[in-house]
């Protein structure tokens, strides 16, 4: 084992590790019975995220049950719009609903008040104290484009027609958004790091909605700028970027140009491409289809096997998107065992 014994952090820093690390996006959540018990103690999801005792417990639950190699802060990408003063509610069966910001005047009205996010930093400090030494603590934020999608459209169920219209017809307006979100996200991640986050992930969940040219302008450029500003202050903190849903070629441009330390890959990218064109640039994280974790059995086993056979050890085992609510606990337990038992394939 290396000096620090933290598999995820070591791999993110480009060190060789003896075992393939494992954690799952959305590893905390409603598929866990203990999460559902905890969730009813909060009046709503926003309060849940902003109550350090509850958020700490939610962060630790999947670590206790499954022993994942990383704990991800329990919070949400939409806490940034909340701290910008945008009205935000999580409605059952609908997901997040925000008061849409559709013009310059509304955008100018937003005022960044990071004090509202103080409970998040307290959660990180509390988690850090309880976490096993070998578990990496991850902070995160939404990337500017994905957060702008929710802020401009107000909800996500019907896609993001207004944000997409801005991307093609009103670039000045969207650029102004990028500037506001750059500054807020930079400060937010800086505070997460000060509070104990050892690495951070940028979720660009809606990167796949953009064409190639738009991807460059609204995903690559803002991500590169954010990482460079973050690295100027925190050179040692690794950044994972996850431009979900984009093409293989755009993934490659992203990993070559943004300065990410590790690339999160969704399950639509063929493993041979990941191995040949992405792992040759940086370590990758992903990309088991979350539906296969729901299904379990041989389809899941075969897919895990393919990942081990095809990807070299410069890899953090994860899903291609978050754990689904209907995922059986036994399948997660089996996945953990499969990954732990698998022999590293020679590179
Ligand atoms: O375990 C973890 O991964 C940590 C916590 C986490 C949550 N959201 C908790 C959450 C993280 C990293 C996120 C990121 C997030 N939030 C993203 C990016 C990743 C992705 O899924 O693409 C996005 C787009 C959001 C916005 C968001 N938050 C939506 C669309 C929803 C509703 C959908 C749903 O699953 O209910 C949420 C709510 C949310 N965020 C829940 C959780 C556990 C469910 C709320 C509940 O328990 O009632």
């Amino acid at each position: 084992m290396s000096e620090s014994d933290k598999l995820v952090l070591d791999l993110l820093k480009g060190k060789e590790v003896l075992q393939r690390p494992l954690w799952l996006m959305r590893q905390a959540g409603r598929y866990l019975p203990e999460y559902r018990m905890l969730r009813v103690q909060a009046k709503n999801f926003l309060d849940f995220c902003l109550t350090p005792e509850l958020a700490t417990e939610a962060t630790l639950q999947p670590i206790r049950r499954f022993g994942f190699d990383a704990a991800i802060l329990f919070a949400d990408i939409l806490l940034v719009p909340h701290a910008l003063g945008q009205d935000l509610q999580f409605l059952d069966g609908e997901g997040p609903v925000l008061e849409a910001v559709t013009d310059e005047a509304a955008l100018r009205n937003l005022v960044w008040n990071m004090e509202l996010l103080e409970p998040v930093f307290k959660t990180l400090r509390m988690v850090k104290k309880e976490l096993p030494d070998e578990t990496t603590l991850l902070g995160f934020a939404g990337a500017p484009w994905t957060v702008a999608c929710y802020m401009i459209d107000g909800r996500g169920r019907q896609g993001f027609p207004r944000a997409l219209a801005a991307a093609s017809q009103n670039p000045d307006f969207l650029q102004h958004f990028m500037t506001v979100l750059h500054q807020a996200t930079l400060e937010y991640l800086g505070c997460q790091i000060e509070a104990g986050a050892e690495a951070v992930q940028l979720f660009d969940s809606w990167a796949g909605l953009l064409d190639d040219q738009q991807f460059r302008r609204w995903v690559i450029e803002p991500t590169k700028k954010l990482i460079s500003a973050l690295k100027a202050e925190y050179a040692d903190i690794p950044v994972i970027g996850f431009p979900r849903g984009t093409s293989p070629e755009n993934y490659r441009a992203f990993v070559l140009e943004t300065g990410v330390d590790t690339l999160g890959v969704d399950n639509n990218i063929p493993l041979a491409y990941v191995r040949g064109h992405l792992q040759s640039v940086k370590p990758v994280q992903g990309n088991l289809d979350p539906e296969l974790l729901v299904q379990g059995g041989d389809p899941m086993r075969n897919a895990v096997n393919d990942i081990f056979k095809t990807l070299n050890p410069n890899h953090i085992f994860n899903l291609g998107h978050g754990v689904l609510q209907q995922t059986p606990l036994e399948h997660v337990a089996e996945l953990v065992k499969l990954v732990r038992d698998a022999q590293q394939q020679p590179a």
Side-chain angles (χ1 to χ4, degrees), residues 23-31 35 39 44-45 48-49 58-59 62 71-78 90-96 140-142 146 150 156-157 160 201-206 242 244 321-323 325:
W23 71 280
L24 303 179
M25 292 186 279
R26 286 289 189 95
Q27 63 192 18
R30 287 172 293 201
Y31 78 106
Y35 173 89
R39 174 75 175 77
N44 56 52
F45 183 68
F48 186 25
C49 291
T59 307
I72 184 158
L73 165 70
F74 191 83
D76 198 87
I77 64 165
L78 300 178
F90 288 88
L91 302 181
D92 288 338
E94 161 75 36
F140 73 93
T146 287
Y150 286 98
R157 275 289 163 93
F160 299 91
Q201 176 156 335
L202 287 170
F203 285 90
D204 223 338
S205 304
W206 300 109
F242 180 41
R244 185 173 75 88
H321 195 190
V323 176
Q325 191 182 342

Side-chain angles (χ1 to χ4, degrees), residues 107-342:
L107 182 53
R108 272 195 304 272
N109 270 336
L110 298 176
V111 179
W112 178 235
N113 177 7
M114 208 163 51
E115 251 166 58
L116 291 173
L117 301 180
E118 211 38 64
V120 174
F121 312 132
K122 184 165 178 205
T123 299
L124 283 164
R125 291 191 293 268
M126 287 172 62
V127 169
K128 187 79 168 222
K129 274 194 226 147
E130 305 239 354
L131 217 52
D133 287 343
E134 66 272 18
T135 314
T136 301
L137 180 53
L138 300 175
F140 73 93
W145 160 249
T146 287
V147 177
C149 280
Y150 286 98
M151 293 182 75
I152 294 171
D153 275 273
R155 53 187 70 200
R157 275 289 163 93
Q158 282 89 40
F160 299 91
R162 279 201 292 247
L164 283 166
S168 54
Q169 292 147 35
N170 202 351
D172 291 346
F173 176 55
L174 193 55
Q175 189 59 53
H176 190 177
F177 249 98
M178 295 291 125
T179 307
V180 170
L181 288 171
H182 170 83
Q183 195 52 36
T185 309
L186 181 62
E187 290 177 26
Y188 181 44
L189 289 175
C191 285
Q192 289 187 26
I193 292 164
E194 300 285 347
E198 296 168 299
V200 296
Q201 176 156 335
L202 287 170
F203 285 90
D204 223 338
S205 304
W206 300 109
L209 298 176
L210 298 170
D211 68 28
D212 295 348
Q213 212 184 339
Q214 293 170 334
F215 180 82
R216 180 159 292 284
R217 175 146 191 204
W218 306 117
V219 173
I220 293 185
E221 290 307 326
T223 301
K224 183 176 168 183
K225 189 172 159 213
L226 193 53
I227 292 175
S228 134
L230 206 57
K231 295 275 180 188
E233 249 180 291
Y234 305 100
D236 286 347
I237 301 292
V239 180
I240 307 166
F242 180 41
R244 185 173 75 88
T246 195
S247 67
E249 294 72 23
N250 282 340
Y251 266 103
R252 183 164 161 89
F254 182 94
V255 70
L256 283 169
E257 295 173 38
T258 55
V260 287
D261 297 279
T262 289
L263 180 70
V265 182
D266 70 67
N267 42 273
N268 289 317
I269 307 300
L271 290 174
Y273 190 91
V274 177
R275 164 70 189 248
H277 301 275
L278 304 177
Q279 276 197 313
S280 51
V281 185
K282 291 282 168 68
V284 300
Q285 169 178 287
N287 69 345
L288 182 73
D289 185 345
E291 297 282 1
L292 289 172
L293 189 57
V294 175
Q295 210 181 324
D298 281 338
M300 175 175 88
R301 289 178 207 127
N302 294 337
V304 171
N305 217 0
D306 283 346
I307 291 176
F308 270 88
K309 265 199 329 233
T310 313
L311 300 190
N312 71 39
N314 211 7
H315 172 229
I316 298 174
F317 202 101
N318 205 315
L319 301 177
H321 195 190
V323 176
L324 295 163
Q325 191 182 342
Q326 65 274 29
T327 304
L329 292 172
E330 314 82 71
H331 296 178
V332 181
E334 188 181 353
L335 175 67
V336 173
K337 187 163 171 10
L338 286 170
V339 173
R340 297 307 187 200
D341 291 351

